[in-house]
Amino acid sequence: LRLLEPQLDSCNARLIGEVASGKLPFLNLPFRSSLTARLKALTPQLRRFKHMVVLGIGGSALGTRALQKAFFPQQDLPNHQGPWLWILDNVDADVLEAQMSTLNPEETIVVPVSKSGGTIETLAQYFFMKAWLQRALPNTWHEHMLLVTDEKKGYLREEADRHNIVSLPVPDHLGGRYSVLTAVGLLPIAAAGLDIDQLMAGAQRAMEALSAPDLDNPAWQYAAARNALYESGKKVELLVCYEPSFRFFSEWWKQLYGESEGKENKGLFPASVEFTADLHSMGQYIQQGERLMFETVVKFAPKGEFIIPNDPANVDGLNFLSGKPLAFVAEQAMRGTILAHVDGGVPNIRIEIPEISESVIGGLLYFFEKACGISGYMLGVNPFDQPGVEAYKKNMFALLDKPGYEEASKAIKARL
Ligand code: PA5
């Protein structure tokens, strides 16, 4: 990795230059204490509701879900304080109908989240939920809605102004996949009882710790290792976790790296697995299938006091497990797996962190975002655009007969 130090240095300097010119606000977000103050002021009002329905997609949903599942995997944990959180990030009639038929509008707040304010999937759901609220609450429906969108432009911004709906801004120059530490991710999760001060304090500590311009910096190490492995012929990076509650963090991570680096016919394909569960489905391929992957293992410290009880009859011969903590069994599963996979030609990067707490997860979010910027520059792509996402949107607009797409509509319909 030492050989890559000069390249890391110039990519890091480029990133710092972009931040200084105001183009990459995500790297400075932890400083924005005015946002957390506003969110905390809003939280008591939000907690009056029994349900919160978030409408968003991609970067406007995945970070929120990652945090929700990491901290409130069953929704009804004792530290869950506010409304039940429902995140709708698809255009599925069954899901939408189920939500509208089971929730009571009087007890519900709907939170459409869209940076552009014009994403079809989100707006389609918005129209349904707005009409649902308006039917039940003709005079007060707008008090059951809170918009998170661009401060100045877009359809949702117009809606906020037109109907006097409370709104929170998504900062300028911020791609959705880098927006979890703004109102996009923080609002729903603050309402649900997460300590956003701790989350942001963790991000801020990471910001300071990851500013060192050398290879002791973990963001540099990660960016360098994954680029070196890519150069050596690996095509897939598997993010591995051993905690079921971390599974959705991986979904956020996949978007972050996939959308930031997958362009110009380049980029590692980001995939994820949850061990040990997925060892019983994907383990065979990882061990002996095509040698195209490496693993990044995110490992938290062992936890829990469960001790495996003794079975005096020892009918199944498994008493060698008796008296051992479950966490110890999980630890040995991880150690055995890493060894087996490395022996099988799957290199491992290990990220070791203490526990799933707000400050640790805030730091981890920041770590992956910063490393992604450096890594994308190392790869030679712009990690902050997503031109490829437009292709399907153009086809969809044409197929939906959006005004201005008449020619494209004819051409595309002739091909189908
Ligand atoms: O990361 C991104 O930019 C995208 O995934 C967007 O978040 C997603 O397309 C939704 O966009 P918007 O927030 O404008 O509705």
Side-chain angles (χ1 to χ4, degrees):
L1 297 187
R2 291 269 163 226
L3 293 176
L4 293 173
E5 218 164 350
Q7 197 189 347
L8 282 159
D9 198 29
S10 77
C11 294
N12 191 50
R14 187 168 164 199
L15 206 59
I16 291 169
E18 302 275 16
V19 174
S21 67
K23 285 196 204 139
L24 295 178
F26 79 91
L27 283 171
N28 279 333
L29 286 173
F31 283 130
R32 299 202 173 184
S33 54
S34 58
L35 172 66
T36 40
R38 171 121 198 251
L39 289 173
K40 281 197 286 183
L42 269 174
T43 300
Q45 283 163 260
L46 300 175
R47 291 203 181 147
R48 287 188 295 116
F49 294 99
K50 196 165 170 197
H51 300 280
M52 176 181 282
V53 180
V54 171
L55 311 176
I57 197 162
S60 289
L62 290 171
T64 308
R65 185 174 285 132
L67 292 170
Q68 178 197 25
K69 298 291 184 186
F71 290 96
F72 311 115
Q74 311 298 334
Q75 293 244 29
D76 53 354
L77 289 179
N79 56 344
H80 187 291
Q81 295 174 23
W84 300 148
L85 187 53
W86 310 96
I87 302 169
L88 307 193
D89 63 349
N90 215 320
V91 272
D92 185 84
D94 291 345
V95 173
L96 204 56
E97 199 189 347
Q99 289 293 342
M100 291 193 297
S101 61
T102 51
L103 301 185
N104 176 353
E106 287 185 24
E107 300 175 329
T108 304
I109 180 154
V110 178
V111 182
V113 182
S114 175
K115 161 77 180 146
S116 61
T119 299
I120 290 289
E121 290 93 327
T122 304
L123 288 187
Q125 301 198 99
Y126 168 74
F127 294 133
F128 274 105
M129 296 303 282
K130 178 180 163 189
W132 176 74
L133 287 175
Q134 282 175 329
R135 269 197 306 276
L137 309 160
N139 301 319
T140 55
W141 69 272
H142 64 284
E143 293 168 14
H144 290 247
M145 199 159 267
L146 197 156
L147 299 174
V148 181
T149 191
D150 191 276
E151 208 158 7
K152 299 177 206 76
K153 56 184 191 306
Y155 179 75
L156 286 183
R157 169 55 42 211
E158 290 165 23
E159 282 286 277
D161 296 343
R162 194 175 321 154
H163 300 294
N164 205 15
I165 301 171
V166 175
S167 66
L168 287 167
V170 186
D172 290 340
H173 310 299
L174 190 73
R177 58 193 179 278
Y178 295 95
S179 70
V180 57
L181 295 176
T182 70
V184 170
L186 297 181
L187 169 93
I189 216 71
L194 204 74
D195 187 338
I196 54 171
D197 282 335
Q198 281 301 317
L199 193 86
M200 295 308 263
Q204 181 149 355
R205 271 195 294 278
M207 179 167 70
E208 284 146 16
L210 300 174
S211 62
D214 55 46
L215 252 183
D216 292 336
N217 179 334
W220 281 39
Q221 290 171 17
Y222 179 53
R226 58 198 304 285
N227 273 282
L229 287 162
Y230 180 61
E231 282 300 311
S232 77
K234 298 298 180 190
K235 299 288 177 224
V236 176
E237 178 176 7
L238 272 181
L239 193 75
V240 179
C241 69
Y242 282 79
E243 282 74 15
S245 57
F246 197 73
R247 185 183 271 261
F248 288 89
F249 191 100
S250 303
E251 298 302 317
W252 170 83
W253 171 88
K254 282 196 283 200
Q255 186 203 2
L256 179 64
Y257 281 80
E259 206 163 274
S260 298
E261 295 195 324
K263 48 197 75 158
E264 298 173 36
N265 301 325
K266 295 193 236 184
L268 284 159
F269 182 81
S272 64
V273 282
E274 178 205 318
F275 291 162
T276 64
D278 291 340
L279 284 171
H280 297 261
S281 58
M282 299 305 292
Q284 171 59 39
Y285 190 104
I286 297 168
Q287 191 68 46
Q288 293 183 326
E290 196 161 345
R291 304 296 69 198
L292 44 67
M293 63 187 71
F294 69 90
E295 292 174 327
T296 297
V297 182
V298 179
K299 182 68 184 86
F300 295 88
K303 57 183 182 303
E305 297 295 320
F306 283 124
I307 308 286
I308 297 177
N310 186 36
D311 168 15
N314 194 21
V315 279
D316 47 13
L318 287 173
N319 266 9
F320 66 92
L321 290 173
S322 302
K324 292 184 173 129
L326 202 54
F328 178 76
V329 175
E331 185 76 10
Q332 305 327 306
M334 184 196 75
R335 294 173 71 199
T337 304
I338 289 178
L339 211 56
H341 287 182
V342 171
D343 287 347
V346 181
N348 264 242
I349 297 173
R350 277 172 73 171
I351 298 176
E352 296 204 8
I353 30 188
E355 80 271 302
I356 298 189
S357 67
E358 283 96 330
S359 67
V360 167
I361 293 294
L364 195 61
L365 290 166
Y366 190 90
F367 163 77
F368 277 125
E369 288 184 359
K370 176 153 192 183
C372 187
I374 300 174
S375 180
Y377 283 152
M378 287 185 84
L379 184 66
V381 298
N382 177 358
F384 304 109
D385 68 2
Q386 55 281 330
V389 183
E390 296 310 310
Y392 102 89
K393 286 189 190 165
K394 278 188 198 143
N395 289 347
M396 181 173 67
F397 289 152
L399 288 166
L400 288 170
D401 298 316
K402 183 175 177 179
Y405 285 77
E406 291 76 10
E407 283 308 308
S409 179
K410 263 189 243 151
I412 196 169
K413 285 179 184 167
R415 284 177 60 201
L416 290 174

